[in-house]
Amino acid sequence: MLHDFVGDEELPSAVRLNATFRSLGVLFGPVVGSALLLGLGPTAGIFVNVLFYLPLTLFLFRTKFTGHTRDHGAPRARVGLMESVRVLKAVGSNHTLVSMIILGGLGSFFVGASMQSAMPIFAQDLGAGGAASGEGIDGASLAYGVLLFANGAGGVLGGILLEATGRIRPTVLAAVISTAVYGVTSLFFAMSTSYPLAVGLLLIGGVANLASMSIGQTVVQLLAPPADRGRVIGVYGVSANGLRAGSGFTVGLLGAAIGVHWSLGLSAAALCVGTVLAAVYALRGGKAVPVGGAAPV
Protein backbone atom coordinates (compact mmCIF):
# COMPACT_ATOMS: atom_id res chain seq x y z
CA MET A 1 0.00 0.00 0.00
CA LEU A 2 2.86 2.41 0.76
CA HIS A 3 4.22 2.00 -2.75
CA ASP A 4 0.78 2.73 -4.21
CA PHE A 5 0.51 5.84 -2.08
CA VAL A 6 3.86 7.46 -2.88
CA GLY A 7 5.65 5.62 -5.72
CA ASP A 8 9.33 4.74 -6.09
CA GLU A 9 10.94 8.10 -5.34
CA GLU A 10 9.22 8.74 -2.01
CA LEU A 11 9.01 5.10 -0.92
CA PRO A 12 12.12 5.16 1.35
CA SER A 13 10.71 8.16 3.20
CA ALA A 14 7.27 6.56 3.56
CA VAL A 15 8.73 3.32 4.93
CA ARG A 16 10.92 5.23 7.40
CA LEU A 17 8.00 7.32 8.64
CA ASN A 18 5.81 4.24 8.98
CA ALA A 19 8.50 2.44 11.01
CA THR A 20 9.17 5.56 13.10
CA PHE A 21 5.54 5.92 14.12
CA ARG A 22 5.48 2.24 14.99
CA SER A 23 8.45 2.92 17.27
CA LEU A 24 6.56 5.87 18.76
CA GLY A 25 3.78 3.47 19.62
CA VAL A 26 6.24 1.16 21.34
CA LEU A 27 7.73 4.13 23.16
CA PHE A 28 4.57 5.82 24.41
CA GLY A 29 2.13 2.90 24.39
CA PRO A 30 3.13 1.67 27.87
CA VAL A 31 2.75 5.24 29.19
CA VAL A 32 -0.80 5.52 27.85
CA GLY A 33 -1.62 2.02 29.05
CA SER A 34 -0.33 2.77 32.55
CA ALA A 35 -2.34 6.00 32.68
CA LEU A 36 -5.52 4.15 31.70
CA LEU A 37 -4.84 1.39 34.21
CA LEU A 38 -4.16 3.77 37.09
CA GLY A 39 -6.86 6.29 36.18
CA LEU A 40 -9.74 4.08 35.10
CA GLY A 41 -8.85 0.61 36.31
CA PRO A 42 -8.32 -2.50 34.19
CA THR A 43 -11.91 -3.01 33.00
CA ALA A 44 -12.78 0.55 32.01
CA GLY A 45 -9.23 1.14 30.80
CA ILE A 46 -9.32 -1.68 28.26
CA PHE A 47 -12.68 -0.48 26.89
CA VAL A 48 -11.33 3.05 26.46
CA ASN A 49 -8.31 1.51 24.75
CA VAL A 50 -10.62 -0.22 22.28
CA LEU A 51 -12.40 3.08 21.57
CA PHE A 52 -9.12 4.54 20.33
CA TYR A 53 -9.45 2.29 17.28
CA LEU A 54 -13.06 3.21 16.54
CA PRO A 55 -12.55 6.45 14.54
CA LEU A 56 -10.02 4.88 12.19
CA THR A 57 -12.15 1.75 11.82
CA LEU A 58 -15.21 3.81 10.82
CA PHE A 59 -13.10 5.87 8.45
CA LEU A 60 -11.79 2.74 6.73
CA PHE A 61 -15.30 1.36 6.36
CA ARG A 62 -16.24 4.52 4.46
CA THR A 63 -13.08 4.60 2.32
CA LYS A 64 -13.55 3.19 -1.17
CA PHE A 65 -10.98 0.75 -2.47
CA THR A 66 -9.73 1.94 -5.83
CA GLY A 67 -7.22 -0.82 -6.46
CA HIS A 68 -3.63 -0.42 -7.54
CA THR A 69 -3.21 2.72 -9.62
CA ARG A 70 0.54 2.71 -10.26
CA ASP A 71 2.81 0.55 -12.41
CA HIS A 72 0.74 1.37 -15.50
CA GLY A 73 -1.93 -1.18 -14.73
CA ALA A 74 0.40 -4.18 -14.41
CA PRO A 75 -1.66 -7.39 -14.44
CA ARG A 76 -2.02 -9.16 -11.12
CA ALA A 77 -2.97 -12.81 -10.86
CA ARG A 78 -5.61 -13.91 -8.39
CA VAL A 79 -4.30 -15.02 -5.03
CA GLY A 80 -4.04 -18.78 -4.75
CA LEU A 81 -1.80 -21.54 -3.49
CA MET A 82 -0.10 -22.19 -6.83
CA GLU A 83 0.42 -18.47 -7.43
CA SER A 84 2.09 -18.16 -4.03
CA VAL A 85 4.41 -21.04 -4.88
CA ARG A 86 5.25 -19.38 -8.19
CA VAL A 87 6.08 -16.10 -6.47
CA LEU A 88 8.32 -17.87 -3.98
CA LYS A 89 10.17 -19.56 -6.83
CA ALA A 90 10.61 -16.22 -8.59
CA VAL A 91 11.97 -14.63 -5.40
CA GLY A 92 14.34 -17.55 -4.90
CA SER A 93 16.18 -16.71 -8.11
CA ASN A 94 16.91 -13.15 -6.95
CA HIS A 95 19.81 -13.22 -4.48
CA THR A 96 19.25 -9.63 -3.40
CA LEU A 97 15.60 -10.16 -2.50
CA VAL A 98 16.39 -13.40 -0.69
CA SER A 99 19.18 -11.76 1.29
CA MET A 100 16.87 -8.93 2.40
CA ILE A 101 14.21 -11.43 3.45
CA ILE A 102 16.85 -13.39 5.36
CA LEU A 103 18.17 -10.25 7.08
CA GLY A 104 14.66 -9.33 8.19
CA GLY A 105 14.16 -12.80 9.64
CA LEU A 106 17.54 -13.03 11.35
CA GLY A 107 16.94 -10.09 13.67
CA SER A 108 13.46 -11.36 14.53
CA PHE A 109 14.46 -14.95 15.10
CA PHE A 110 17.59 -14.40 17.18
CA VAL A 111 16.63 -11.27 19.14
CA GLY A 112 13.07 -10.22 18.29
CA ALA A 113 10.89 -9.08 21.19
CA SER A 114 12.65 -11.28 23.73
CA MET A 115 15.06 -8.50 24.71
CA GLN A 116 12.15 -6.40 25.99
CA SER A 117 10.80 -9.35 27.96
CA ALA A 118 14.20 -9.86 29.57
CA MET A 119 14.69 -6.19 30.53
CA PRO A 120 13.68 -6.67 34.21
CA ILE A 121 16.41 -9.28 34.59
CA PHE A 122 19.01 -7.02 32.97
CA ALA A 123 17.90 -4.06 35.11
CA GLN A 124 18.41 -6.12 38.25
CA ASP A 125 21.70 -7.67 37.16
CA LEU A 126 23.13 -4.32 36.08
CA GLY A 127 22.71 -3.05 39.63
CA ALA A 128 20.72 0.09 38.88
CA GLY A 129 18.37 1.87 41.26
CA GLY A 130 16.63 -0.18 43.89
CA ALA A 131 17.46 -3.38 42.05
CA ALA A 132 20.87 -3.34 43.76
CA SER A 133 20.61 -0.86 46.63
CA GLY A 134 17.57 -2.34 48.28
CA GLU A 135 15.38 0.71 47.76
CA GLY A 136 12.46 -1.46 46.71
CA ILE A 137 10.34 -2.01 43.69
CA ASP A 138 10.28 1.68 42.65
CA GLY A 139 14.02 1.81 41.99
CA ALA A 140 13.94 -1.47 40.08
CA SER A 141 10.95 -0.32 38.06
CA LEU A 142 12.70 2.93 37.17
CA ALA A 143 15.81 1.06 36.04
CA TYR A 144 13.67 -1.23 33.92
CA GLY A 145 11.71 1.69 32.49
CA VAL A 146 14.85 3.57 31.43
CA LEU A 147 16.20 0.51 29.61
CA LEU A 148 12.89 -0.03 27.83
CA PHE A 149 12.63 3.68 26.99
CA ALA A 150 16.16 3.71 25.54
CA ASN A 151 15.33 0.86 23.20
CA GLY A 152 12.18 2.53 21.90
CA ALA A 153 13.77 5.98 21.79
CA GLY A 154 16.53 4.61 19.57
CA GLY A 155 13.95 3.61 16.97
CA VAL A 156 12.30 7.02 17.02
CA LEU A 157 15.66 8.81 16.90
CA GLY A 158 16.81 6.60 14.03
CA GLY A 159 13.72 7.39 12.00
CA ILE A 160 14.05 11.12 12.59
CA LEU A 161 17.76 11.16 11.73
CA LEU A 162 17.33 9.08 8.58
CA GLU A 163 14.43 11.21 7.41
CA ALA A 164 16.03 14.55 8.27
CA THR A 165 19.43 13.84 6.72
CA GLY A 166 18.51 11.52 3.84
CA ARG A 167 22.17 10.51 3.65
CA ILE A 168 21.69 6.75 3.95
CA ARG A 169 20.32 5.41 0.68
CA PRO A 170 18.27 2.18 0.54
CA THR A 171 21.03 -0.21 -0.49
CA VAL A 172 21.96 -3.78 0.36
CA LEU A 173 25.19 -2.55 1.95
CA ALA A 174 23.29 -0.15 4.22
CA ALA A 175 20.89 -2.91 5.26
CA VAL A 176 23.77 -5.30 6.01
CA ILE A 177 25.74 -2.73 8.02
CA SER A 178 22.72 -1.62 10.07
CA THR A 179 21.78 -5.23 10.84
CA ALA A 180 25.38 -5.97 11.84
CA VAL A 181 25.42 -2.94 14.14
CA TYR A 182 22.18 -4.14 15.72
CA GLY A 183 23.73 -7.54 16.33
CA VAL A 184 26.97 -6.13 17.75
CA THR A 185 25.20 -3.72 20.11
CA SER A 186 22.92 -6.54 21.30
CA LEU A 187 26.00 -8.70 21.92
CA PHE A 188 27.78 -6.04 23.95
CA PHE A 189 24.57 -5.22 25.82
CA ALA A 190 24.36 -8.85 26.91
CA MET A 191 27.98 -8.69 28.08
CA SER A 192 27.79 -5.25 29.69
CA THR A 193 28.16 -4.76 33.45
CA SER A 194 27.73 -0.96 33.29
CA TYR A 195 24.22 0.46 33.43
CA PRO A 196 24.99 3.72 31.54
CA LEU A 197 26.83 1.74 28.85
CA ALA A 198 23.88 -0.62 28.53
CA VAL A 199 21.51 2.33 28.05
CA GLY A 200 23.77 3.77 25.33
CA LEU A 201 24.00 0.41 23.56
CA LEU A 202 20.22 0.05 23.56
CA LEU A 203 19.87 3.52 22.09
CA ILE A 204 22.34 2.76 19.28
CA GLY A 205 20.76 -0.65 18.73
CA GLY A 206 17.33 0.92 18.38
CA VAL A 207 18.64 3.27 15.69
CA ALA A 208 20.30 0.38 13.84
CA ASN A 209 17.23 -1.84 14.08
CA LEU A 210 14.98 0.88 12.68
CA ALA A 211 17.43 1.48 9.82
CA SER A 212 17.72 -2.23 9.08
CA MET A 213 13.96 -2.79 8.92
CA SER A 214 13.14 0.32 6.90
CA ILE A 215 15.99 -0.11 4.42
CA GLY A 216 15.35 -3.82 3.94
CA GLN A 217 11.65 -3.32 3.31
CA THR A 218 12.36 -0.47 0.89
CA VAL A 219 14.83 -2.54 -1.13
CA VAL A 220 12.37 -5.44 -1.33
CA GLN A 221 9.55 -3.19 -2.54
CA LEU A 222 11.74 -1.50 -5.14
CA LEU A 223 13.10 -4.76 -6.55
CA ALA A 224 9.91 -6.81 -6.48
CA PRO A 225 8.11 -7.25 -9.81
CA PRO A 226 5.12 -4.85 -9.85
CA ALA A 227 2.61 -7.63 -10.42
CA ASP A 228 3.92 -9.61 -7.43
CA ARG A 229 4.96 -6.79 -5.10
CA GLY A 230 2.23 -7.43 -2.55
CA ARG A 231 2.99 -11.13 -2.29
CA VAL A 232 6.75 -10.55 -2.11
CA ILE A 233 6.22 -8.05 0.70
CA GLY A 234 4.04 -10.69 2.34
CA VAL A 235 6.97 -13.12 2.32
CA TYR A 236 9.20 -10.40 3.79
CA GLY A 237 6.59 -9.68 6.48
CA VAL A 238 6.39 -13.33 7.46
CA SER A 239 10.16 -13.37 7.84
CA ALA A 240 10.57 -10.02 9.61
CA ASN A 241 7.56 -10.34 11.92
CA GLY A 242 6.47 -13.97 12.03
CA LEU A 243 9.89 -15.29 13.04
CA ARG A 244 9.81 -13.25 16.26
CA ALA A 245 8.32 -16.33 17.86
CA GLY A 246 11.71 -17.97 17.40
CA SER A 247 13.35 -15.55 19.85
CA GLY A 248 11.30 -17.19 22.57
CA PHE A 249 13.46 -20.25 22.02
CA THR A 250 16.81 -18.66 21.15
CA VAL A 251 16.72 -16.21 24.08
CA GLY A 252 13.88 -17.24 26.37
CA LEU A 253 14.03 -21.03 26.53
CA LEU A 254 17.81 -21.14 26.19
CA GLY A 255 18.06 -18.42 28.81
CA ALA A 256 16.22 -20.60 31.33
CA ALA A 257 18.97 -23.18 30.89
CA ILE A 258 22.15 -21.10 30.69
CA GLY A 259 21.07 -17.60 31.77
CA VAL A 260 19.61 -14.70 29.79
CA HIS A 261 22.95 -12.93 29.39
CA TRP A 262 24.50 -15.96 27.74
CA SER A 263 21.46 -16.77 25.61
CA LEU A 264 21.14 -13.20 24.31
CA GLY A 265 24.89 -13.00 23.71
CA LEU A 266 24.95 -16.24 21.73
CA SER A 267 21.84 -15.24 19.78
CA ALA A 268 23.35 -11.84 18.95
CA ALA A 269 26.56 -13.51 17.83
CA ALA A 270 24.54 -15.84 15.60
CA LEU A 271 22.79 -12.76 14.17
CA CYS A 272 26.18 -11.25 13.28
CA VAL A 273 27.36 -14.45 11.59
CA GLY A 274 24.07 -14.80 9.71
CA THR A 275 24.32 -11.20 8.54
CA VAL A 276 27.76 -11.86 7.04
CA LEU A 277 26.49 -14.99 5.28
CA ALA A 278 23.48 -13.09 3.90
CA ALA A 279 25.82 -10.39 2.59
CA VAL A 280 27.99 -12.97 0.86
CA TYR A 281 24.90 -14.57 -0.68
CA ALA A 282 23.73 -11.19 -1.99
CA LEU A 283 27.13 -10.49 -3.54
CA ARG A 284 27.07 -13.83 -5.34
CA GLY A 285 23.92 -12.70 -7.14
CA GLY A 286 25.62 -9.64 -8.63
CA LYS A 287 24.28 -6.11 -8.69
CA ALA A 288 20.52 -5.77 -8.77
CA VAL A 289 18.77 -2.85 -10.46
CA PRO A 290 15.51 -1.72 -8.82
CA VAL A 291 12.42 -0.94 -10.80
CA GLY A 292 11.28 2.55 -11.58
CA GLY A 293 14.72 4.11 -11.93
CA ALA A 294 15.38 4.29 -8.20
CA ALA A 295 18.84 4.35 -6.68
CA PRO A 296 20.89 1.23 -7.41
CA VAL A 297 21.22 -1.25 -4.62
Side-chain angles (χ1 to χ4, degrees):
M1 293 176 66
L2 288 177
H3 185 271
D4 281 341
F5 291 155
V6 300
D8 289 346
E9 293 184 1
E10 299 297 331
L11 180 63
S13 178
V15 174
R16 282 194 297 265
L17 289 173
N18 191 42
T20 301
F21 275 90
R22 188 181 298 113
S23 297
L24 276 172
V26 174
L27 186 61
F28 293 108
V31 177
V32 176
S34 298
L36 291 175
L37 179 64
L38 295 175
L40 301 176
T43 303
I46 196 65
F47 276 102
V48 172
N49 188 52
V50 172
L51 291 178
F52 288 154
Y53 296 88
L54 186 59
L56 179 61
T57 303
L58 295 177
F59 170 77
L60 292 176
F61 268 120
R62 295 174 57 87
T63 302
K64 295 182 179 180
F65 175 69
T66 58
H68 299 276
T69 58
R70 296 188 184 271
D71 302 321
H72 306 290
R76 288 173 171 82
R78 293 177 62 87
V79 178
L81 180 60
M82 296 308 299
E83 278 298 312
S84 299
V85 173
R86 184 189 66 79
V87 172
L88 289 174
K89 289 182 178 180
V91 170
S93 63
N94 189 317
H95 285 216
T96 303
L97 279 177
V98 172
S99 66
M100 292 298 97
I101 293 172
I102 291 175
L103 281 180
L106 285 174
S108 296
F109 183 80
F110 286 112
V111 179
S114 60
M115 184 183 292
Q116 293 182 351
S117 302
M119 283 301 179
I121 299 176
F122 282 101
Q124 181 177 359
D125 292 347
L126 287 169
S133 60
E135 296 175 3
I137 188 64
D138 291 339
S141 299
L142 177 62
Y144 160 69
V146 171
L147 291 177
L148 199 61
F149 181 86
N151 197 21
V156 176
L157 179 63
I160 294 175
L161 289 176
L162 289 174
E163 186 62 26
T165 62
R167 292 182 177 274
I168 301 180
R169 302 170 68 189
T171 66
V172 173
L173 179 61
V176 169
I177 292 176
S178 56
T179 305
V181 171
Y182 178 54
V184 171
T185 54
S186 299
L187 174 60
F188 281 101
F189 171 76
M191 298 168 54
S192 176
T193 57
S194 168
Y195 185 79
L197 178 60
V199 172
L201 289 170
L202 286 176
L203 191 65
I204 298 173
V207 174
N209 189 32
L210 186 283
S212 174
M213 290 189 300
S214 61
I215 293 172
Q217 182 180 340
T218 301
V219 171
V220 170
Q221 290 210 44
L222 290 176
L223 292 180
D228 295 324
R229 181 175 289 115
R231 281 182 283 261
V232 173
I233 286 295
V235 175
Y236 176 83
V238 169
S239 178
N241 298 311
L243 290 182
R244 290 186 177 186
S247 63
F249 295 94
T250 58
V251 178
L253 188 61
L254 185 61
I258 64 175
V260 174
H261 289 266
W262 273 100
S263 64
L264 178 59
L266 292 174
S267 297
L271 170 59
C272 295
V273 173
T275 300
V276 173
L277 295 177
V280 173
Y281 181 80
L283 290 175
R284 288 179 56 190
K287 184 177 180 180
V289 180
V291 296
V297 298

